Amino acid sequence: MSIHSISCRALPLASLGTLFQGSLLKRFLVDDDSPDGDFFRVVQLSDMESLLLPVAQLEGSRLRLSPMDEQVLLPGDVLISVRGMVQKAAVFMGADFPVLVSNNVAVFRHFPHVAAALRLQPVFLAGLLRSDSYEPILERLYRKSTGTRSLSLKQLGKVAVPIPSQAVQSEFVTLFQSFERFALASQRAVDAQREIVESGVMVLLQEVL
């Protein structure tokens, strides 16, 4: 793939799919031993560190909602942070239990009738939104109040996204996933070296304290 010769059109997210934001779920909470409601896993911003959402690690609550609620995530949904100082995005690949998002997270879901030529691969979209190059585009749309950034669904829907061919999107997906694996391995190496350094410093401190 030549990054200097990619031809494609760009369209706003709102023209390609549905956008909705998670609810404030506290108002739906019920006791764990209550016969009412069902058990849901809930996605928080802190769960969105990886391209692919780690559903097994999600915490849950019993909520007075139906597992068929329209806000229950579907495979291929792209989760986008709408609050916080760091832009995050992740893809929900599916789960054996119902999953919802918190009110700090928005969800992009493709219209079912979108033509194949205009369809965004979920990991491609999430990778774009996580990239440093996209940060200034999103930064212009954020509102700031009391030190907290927030992004409305209306503003998020205006975000223009390039739509290259499916083949090019697949190549970018491989690139995004390779970069994430490299970054994770590098962080583990840094953490291991930090532990060695701190262990050595602690030995020195035992001699002077």
Side-chain angles (χ1 to χ4, degrees):
M1 176 179 63
S2 172
I3 61 174
H4 301 293
S5 60
I6 300 174
S7 175
C8 63
R9 63 191 298 188
L11 291 173
L13 275 179
S15 69
L16 299 169
T18 301
L19 286 163
F20 63 88
Q21 189 171 348
S23 302
L24 189 61
L25 297 174
K26 288 182 179 180
R27 57 194 173 119
F28 299 109
L29 278 173
V30 294
D31 294 335
D32 288 342
D33 55 356
S34 170
D36 298 327
D38 287 277
F39 189 79
F40 293 81
R41 303 288 179 94
V42 180
V43 181
Q44 307 290 345
L45 288 180
S46 58
D47 300 314
M48 296 169 56
E49 299 299 329
S50 304
L51 269 171
L52 304 183
L53 188 71
V55 293
Q57 301 175 20
L58 300 178
E59 297 184 359
S61 301
R62 194 167 188 82
L63 303 170
R64 193 176 288 106
L65 290 171
S66 166
M68 302 303 292
D69 189 280
E70 62 182 7
Q71 290 202 1
V72 171
L73 296 183
L74 299 177
D77 283 349
V78 179
L79 284 53
I80 306 166
S81 61
V82 290
R83 288 193 180 92
M85 299 308 295
V86 179
Q87 185 60 39
K88 297 182 178 182
V91 179
F92 176 70
M93 301 299 290
D96 296 328
F97 39 80
V99 180
L100 299 167
V101 297
S102 72
N103 63 323
N104 294 320
V105 180
V107 178
F108 171 79
R109 181 176 295 165
H110 250 306
F111 292 136
H113 61 267
V114 169
L118 299 179
R119 185 162 288 275
L120 293 165
Q121 294 183 27
V123 175
F124 172 74
L125 175 57
L128 280 181
L129 296 176
R130 291 168 64 96
S131 69
D132 291 343
S133 298
Y134 240 81
E135 180 69 22
I137 297 173
L138 296 167
E139 180 67 29
R140 291 196 295 268
L141 301 175
Y142 266 96
R143 297 174 301 185
K144 295 181 180 178
S145 60
T146 63
T148 301
R149 300 192 319 168
S150 63
L151 184 62
S152 70
L153 291 184
K154 182 178 180 180
Q155 292 295 89
L156 182 58
K158 295 178 182 178
V159 174
V161 179
I163 312 174
S165 68
Q166 291 296 309
V168 170
Q169 288 189 47
S170 295
E171 291 187 66
F172 267 100
V173 166
T174 299
L175 187 65
F176 290 145
Q177 292 179 322
S178 296
F179 172 74
E180 183 172 76
R181 286 193 294 269
F182 175 80
L184 181 59
S186 298
Q187 186 59 53
R188 287 173 175 167
V190 169
D191 291 343
Q193 289 299 312
R194 180 181 292 110
E195 185 174 345
I196 292 172
V197 169
E198 295 301 328
S199 295
V201 171
M202 289 300 296
V203 170
L204 287 176
L205 290 177
Q206 288 175 3
E207 300 297 323
V208 298
L209 295 180

